[in-house]
Amino acid sequence: MHARPAQLRTRNFCPPTWAHGALLVGAVGAVLFHIFVVPFGAQHWGLFNNMLDVNVYAAGGLAVLENRTLYAGPVYGPMPFTYPPFSALLFTGLALMDQTVLQILWTVATVAALYATVVLCWKSLGYRIGQSLLLATVPMTIIATVLEPVRTTLWYGQINIFLMLLIVWDLTRPQGGLLRGIGVGIAAGIKLTPGFFFVYLALTRQWRTLYVSIVALLGTIVVAAAVIPRDSWTFWRGTLFESERIGQINAPANQSITGVLAQIFNTTEPPKAIVGIVTLAVLVLALVAIWLAHRADQHLLAITLAGLTASMVSPFSWGHHWVWFVPLIIALCHYAVLSQRLWVWSAPVLVALPVLCWVQVFTDPTQPSGRFYAIGTFMLLPPDAELVLLVRSAFPGTMLIVTLTTIAVLGWRELGRTQRAHRLETNTALLVAAHQPETASGAMIK
């Protein structure tokens, strides 16, 4: 039986003194980035000047209210509705809002969800939620906005951070907690990608949580089927398999294994056999890393690896699907704090570097501002053509390195633990064997 998050010995949040200064400098740097690098006021490209996806959500909700089909065609401009029907029911509330009010409330709620996620991550690592942590989380949240997945989530008005918060809240609760698993099931009912956490729960033998999450998912399907049966039938009968509704497989922003292979083969349809083999190999490695992390009681790391793996193996994963880099960086910072070695801080820095909002600006008369902002490592065009594939695979490449490092570090520890247990068992057996002849001899003398 492994210790659960709630059983951790809690500690005050007291990072090194220099870390407070680093947080302040990082937060100021993030604000300056949003002011000068990709300016707030930049038409279309400014942080709050897109909000495409939340408008699609609202349009999906409006389609439900007006009894129009969800999946027969576009719902907002040229954009189709790609989420499960249950999500459209939730989005009906968005459809009732004025567009400006909707965008403001959605953005504020997203930032609040990001803040809450950061706090819960530190709490799951054994830190008390006190004034120090709550204050330090403010600059952490600001800094996180210059990570490409987070910025793009805010820019599009995406739902990923809400789903991450729901899962982190759910799975960092103690084993046996009231309806633990319901968050995972609801998240999967809103967007299919979190369904990978069913695999995580089965792998780590959290059976009760798995059963609750499956029931919760089935509940979302039943509710949607009762309210919008036609759209539910259309979606589950086949719409969910139409990945082309999401975007082109070989788009640079598709940071899944399939997307990277499409880039390598320079095609919109990479060979299915190769995709299957590579995906299976990466999946096996990721599952080993997740199992080792869970066995080592590194529960936040295990949950985070599961979230990142879901993005890796999904046929299509936009950059903003990779918001799980946020809890990964937090976990690595925690390990650096515990180690008390300065060089260990290189781990969160090295993971964050490829995930930052690296920007390249191109002149483009077709854009509203006459400029095209290539934001994110995978959007860059390096002068050396041989580096293009490297930057195109920035997120899955980083995840693969993290996976292999986790296996190496925790695998070595697990091997050492197993060897120590074996030596102890052997020594105990020898002591027992050595004692038995003496006992037998004594009995004969008597």
Side-chain angles (χ1 to χ4, degrees), residues 24 56 68 83 135 194 345:
L24 181 60
V56 173
R68 291 184 284 109
Y83 288 21
L135 289 176
W345 285 94

Side-chain angles (χ1 to χ4, degrees), residues 189-396:
I190 296 172
K191 190 171 185 175
L192 294 175
T193 308
F196 184 80
F197 282 93
F198 296 163
V199 178
Y200 159 76
L201 293 172
L203 176 70
T204 55
R205 298 187 177 186
Q206 300 181 58
W207 301 118
R208 178 177 174 180
T209 303
L210 175 61
Y211 300 149
V212 171
S213 63
I214 292 174
V215 170
L217 172 61
L218 293 175
T220 68
I221 295 172
V222 170
V223 168
V227 180
I228 45 176
R230 176 186 58 193
D231 291 319
S232 295
W233 174 254
T234 300
F235 182 82
W236 297 108
R237 186 183 61 180
T239 300
L240 79 162
F241 300 111
E242 298 173 1
S243 59
E244 67 275 5
R245 289 168 54 87
I246 302 174
Q248 289 187 328
I249 293 294
N250 64 339
N254 182 9
Q255 288 292 285
S256 68
I257 293 173
T258 306
V260 171
L261 290 174
Q263 290 287 329
I264 292 175
F265 288 99
N266 192 26
T267 177
T268 57
E269 196 68 38
K272 287 184 172 58
I274 295 179
V275 170
I277 293 171
V278 175
T279 300
L280 180 60
V282 172
L283 177 60
V284 169
L285 289 173
L287 292 177
V288 170
I290 292 168
W291 181 82
L292 286 170
H294 180 80
R295 184 168 173 79
D297 292 328
Q298 303 299 324
H299 300 293
L300 180 64
L301 177 60
I303 294 167
T304 299
L305 290 174
L308 292 169
T309 302
S311 296
M312 282 270 280
V313 301
S314 174
F316 205 105
S317 293
W318 293 110
H320 53 70
H321 291 176
W322 293 77
V323 290
W324 286 95
F325 274 119
V326 173
L328 174 62
I329 292 170
I330 291 172
L332 294 176
C333 287
H334 163 68
Y335 301 145
V337 169
L338 292 185
S339 74
Q340 297 184 339
R341 296 184 181 93
L342 193 60
W343 67 267
V344 180
W345 285 94
S346 63
V349 172
L350 290 174
V351 168
L353 281 175
V355 189
L356 289 172
C357 287
W358 300 103
V359 178
Q360 201 170 2
V361 183
F362 301 94
T363 300
D364 187 349
T366 65
Q367 294 297 316
S369 60
R371 289 182 170 189
F372 179 90
Y373 288 84
I375 304 173
T377 308
F378 50 79
M379 293 297 293
L380 302 179
L381 283 177
D384 189 343
E386 295 179 355
L387 295 177
V388 172
L389 284 178
L390 181 63
V391 299
R392 289 286 188 268
S393 57
F395 290 4

Side-chain angles (χ1 to χ4, degrees), residues 3-39:
R4 306 311 305 166
Q7 297 173 311
L8 289 172
R9 181 177 61 85
T10 58
R11 61 177 72 86
N12 291 323
F13 184 78
C14 298
T17 304
W18 61 265
H20 293 284
L23 286 174
L24 181 60
V25 171
V28 171
V31 172
L32 292 176
F33 171 88
H34 295 305
I35 293 175
F36 296 108
V37 181
V38 185

